[in-house]
Amino acid sequence: MTVLAPLLQAFFTERLIAQRRASGRTIACYRNTFRLLLGFATAKTGTKPSALDIADLDAPLITAFRDHLEHERGNTVRTRNNRLAAIHSLFGYAALHHPEHAASIQRVLAIPAKRYERRLLTWLTEPEVDALLAAPDRTTWTGRRDHALLVLSVQTGLRISELIGLSRVDVNLGAGAHVHCLGKGRKERATPLTTLTVQVLRGWLTEHPGAPHDPLFPTRTGARLSDDAIEHRLAVHLATARRACPSLRAKQVTIHTLRHTCAMRLLEAGTDITVIALWLGHEQIRTAQIYLHADMGQKERAIARVSPPGTMPGRYRPPDPLLAFLDQL
């Protein structure tokens, strides 16, 4: 067995789990990255994964793997960069334990992330939110569960992983009603609940009793919903909502879109951007500044307060008929 196999095992058990105490979600993302990378390397070199060495995962192969992710698997540039970050983390760990491969390791670590265009955010307007929340069939158990999940998501802006991780004990519907979650980077936070959300959640919890640590939004078998299951349920309700609200047809909506919707509703209500960052659990305040860029209302109010420059509109007129002819060509 080469040094790569024990190195990769130690990277997960010692570095990620023991030293960094990475979350299960982070470990799963890293695991999927290296499954894909080892499968790609095996296809390219003809060497089985346990026989691959660090030198086999050189910079040209890693570069080819990134292109494979983007062009053949159809991954976004952001996903491609996340995969590269996991590879960089492994090779940074390898540099400490296998200096004999320093040259190959440094070439891999020098591979840059790919830059990409940062598009404006997509969020839902109030009529679109109303149409989406009205879409679940509340005469069914599944519809009532989905309605409660969507109401909570739009009002709190929780990430999909945070929604999945919620248990019944995490919801406090008494005085100072709030929902408690363990967010990204193992940061705990409590998000206040509005009167409407409290009423919806109280009705759901009353209908579906259970133990304190049971999932807040379970499947019919009592297990926690997966990412794909939640996105699938959202897609089902979006198809219904688009019939009632045509403007939704032009938008690609995910659970993360509902997170952006929560932030934009807070911003439009006059909430300070630092409070929005705390509300959403952002590590840094500048992360929440994307909502300032997306808010056309604030930009329009700003330009309305600015005096226009003292100039007259006009158009260029060529001084000669021959130049006018050339300009018309």
Side-chain angles (χ1 to χ4, degrees):
M1 183 179 291
T2 63
V3 299
L4 179 62
L7 173 71
L8 189 57
Q9 293 173 3
F11 173 71
F12 276 95
T13 58
E14 296 179 11
R15 184 56 164 253
L16 293 183
I17 298 176
Q19 297 177 5
R20 296 184 58 185
R21 295 186 61 207
S23 66
R25 193 175 185 85
T26 298
I27 291 172
C29 290
Y30 276 53
R31 175 202 63 203
N32 294 339
T33 295
F34 293 115
R35 277 180 175 174
L36 292 171
L37 176 60
L38 293 176
F40 179 82
T42 296
K44 286 293 185 182
T45 64
T47 306
K48 62 182 181 179
S50 59
L52 289 168
D53 203 350
I54 294 177
D56 294 320
L57 304 183
D58 55 11
L61 186 136
I62 300 299
T63 300
F65 173 65
R66 293 192 313 160
D67 294 338
H68 164 75
L69 291 176
E70 184 175 356
H71 301 300
E72 296 182 34
R73 290 184 59 86
N75 291 161
T76 64
V77 175
R78 187 186 296 270
T79 299
R80 163 179 158 152
N81 288 344
N82 288 340
R83 301 293 189 202
L84 179 62
I87 294 169
H88 279 172
S89 184
L90 170 66
F91 276 75
Y93 180 75
L96 301 174
H97 295 81
H98 294 284
E100 69 275 14
H101 293 284
S104 177
I105 290 171
Q106 288 302 316
R107 284 192 289 270
V108 171
L109 292 176
I111 298 174
K114 185 174 182 178
R115 301 185 67 178
Y116 56 94
E117 295 179 358
R118 297 182 181 272
R119 302 183 182 276
L120 289 176
L121 298 179
T122 298
W123 73 93
L124 305 186
T125 62
E126 291 299 325
E128 292 167 347
V129 169
D130 293 340
L132 178 60
L133 296 184
D137 181 5
R138 279 176 271 177
T139 63
T140 66
W141 180 90
T142 303
R144 291 189 293 275
R145 178 202 64 191
D146 294 349
H147 177 255
L149 187 150
L150 292 175
V151 169
L152 181 66
S153 179
V154 169
Q155 192 253 290
T156 61
L158 295 182
R159 299 179 179 92
I160 191 169
S161 59
E162 295 165 349
L163 288 169
I164 292 171
L166 288 178
S167 299
R168 297 171 62 90
V169 72
D170 294 322
V171 178
N172 181 356
L173 302 181
H178 65 275
V179 61
H180 171 273
C181 73
L182 182 64
K184 191 175 180 180
R186 295 184 178 272
K187 297 189 296 292
E188 293 187 29
R189 74 178 188 277
T191 306
L193 299 177
T194 64
T195 302
L196 172 64
T197 307
V198 169
Q199 292 173 352
V200 171
L201 290 178
R202 181 175 286 123
W204 168 245
L205 291 173
T206 302
E207 174 189 353
H208 184 74
H213 294 284
D214 286 348
L216 179 61
F217 302 114
T219 63
R220 286 196 171 276
T221 61
R224 294 188 184 275
L225 290 166
S226 66
D227 294 30
D228 291 340
I230 291 181
E231 294 290 3
H232 171 71
R233 296 306 303 167
L234 175 61
V236 169
H237 300 313
L238 275 170
T240 302
R242 282 172 176 144
R243 291 195 290 269
C245 185
S247 63
L248 279 170
R249 298 171 189 169
K251 294 184 177 181
Q252 183 177 359
V253 181
T254 66
I255 288 293
H256 211 73
T257 307
L258 304 187
R259 179 172 167 85
H260 295 327
T261 301
C262 170
M264 293 304 294
R265 295 175 82 191
L266 290 171
L267 187 61
E268 290 168 357
T271 307
D272 188 83
I273 195 66
T274 56
V275 177
I276 295 176
L278 292 172
W279 186 287
L280 298 179
H282 287 313
E283 182 73 24
Q284 297 176 341
I285 293 176
R286 69 169 178 265
T287 306
Q289 291 178 349
I290 55 175
Y291 302 112
L292 291 175
H293 291 292
D295 185 11
M296 286 299 297
Q298 287 203 23
K299 295 176 182 177
E300 289 170 354
R301 289 190 294 271
I303 199 170
R305 293 192 293 266
V306 177
S307 300
T311 185
M312 295 295 293
R315 55 177 294 185
Y316 169 73
R317 296 184 181 278
D320 186 89
L322 181 58
L323 292 179
F325 166 75
L326 295 175
D327 285 342
Q328 293 173 2
L329 294 178

